[in-house]
Amino acid sequence: MSKLYIVPTPIGNLKDITFRAIEVLKEADLILAEDTRTSGKLLKHFEISTHMQSHHMHNEHKTVENIIQKLKTGTTIAIISDAGTPCISDPGFLLSRACIENNIDIECLPGATAFVPALVNSGLPNDKFIFEGFLPVKKGRQTRLNLLAEETRTMIFYESPHKLIKTLGHFCEYFGEDRQVSVSRELTKMFEETIRGTAKEVLEFYTNKPPKGEIVIIAAGKK
């Protein structure tokens, strides 16, 4: 019986892949990959020869119907992103929703995702939190920040290194310079780093030391 497997892949350290993830990727008929070049290196490392097909944010609206038809004919498909769990700020949601609408089984494997270790490393309350992902770049950004300024739960954001300074500056402006934040970058990699402090302190740190790599920001909620 056909099924869509949602398979997490390592966010940096290749040892973080699970035995089950490797097994599913080897046994699937087709792997949907966000970037076949990036995923090709991962598959080669684990000696996985399953055929890949590109599936990313720029083509997923066009490819979903064709993939659903393949699943209906008995094809077993696994979807992976460049790193972490598909559908979490990555392609996959449109396909999973289409599978549900067409009564096609979905199975999501547990595994790597960046925001969990960043949240735990932050030292900020993690009994209640919200995941914001990437803030709007332009339209809607100010409105979103105004709403989040009143949020009492710990907040999780993804950000690119070249926009981190801008975002921390906005946190100082909308949340206040004394709001506690934690910035984790390059999680699970050789140069993993977590910087904690007030929004002003962390902004000053990265102003003097421009960041590199994948970044997760954890911000305390309003007291």
Side-chain angles (χ1 to χ4, degrees), residues 151-170:
E151 176 59 60
T152 58
R153 294 168 291 182
T154 300
M155 297 171 280
I156 303 169
F157 303 89
Y158 285 166
E159 192 51 279
S160 60
H162 66 279
K163 293 178 182 174
L164 177 62
I165 301 301
K166 175 183 177 181
T167 296
L168 290 173
H170 282 158

Side-chain angles (χ1 to χ4, degrees), residues 147-199:
L147 288 171
L148 292 173
E150 301 301 316
E151 176 59 60
T152 58
R153 294 168 291 182
T154 300
M155 297 171 280
I156 303 169
F157 303 89
Y158 285 166
E159 192 51 279
S160 60
H162 66 279
K163 293 178 182 174
L164 177 62
I165 301 301
K166 175 183 177 181
T167 296
L168 290 173
H170 282 158
F171 284 7
C172 288
E173 179 182 351
Y174 290 90
F175 300 168
E177 294 182 346
D178 293 332
R179 185 70 69 94
Q180 290 292 312
V181 301
S182 173
V183 174
S184 291
R185 68 177 193 87
E186 295 291 83
L187 286 165
T188 78
K189 300 177 184 178
M190 182 180 296
F191 299 107
E192 177 177 336
E193 167 184 87
T194 295
I195 301 298
R196 309 171 186 86
T198 65

Side-chain angles (χ1 to χ4, degrees), residues 95-114:
L95 179 56
S96 63
R97 183 175 63 181
C99 285
I100 292 169
E101 292 171 349
N102 286 273
N103 296 314
I104 295 169
D105 286 343
I106 302 174
E107 189 168 341
C108 182
L109 278 60
T113 189

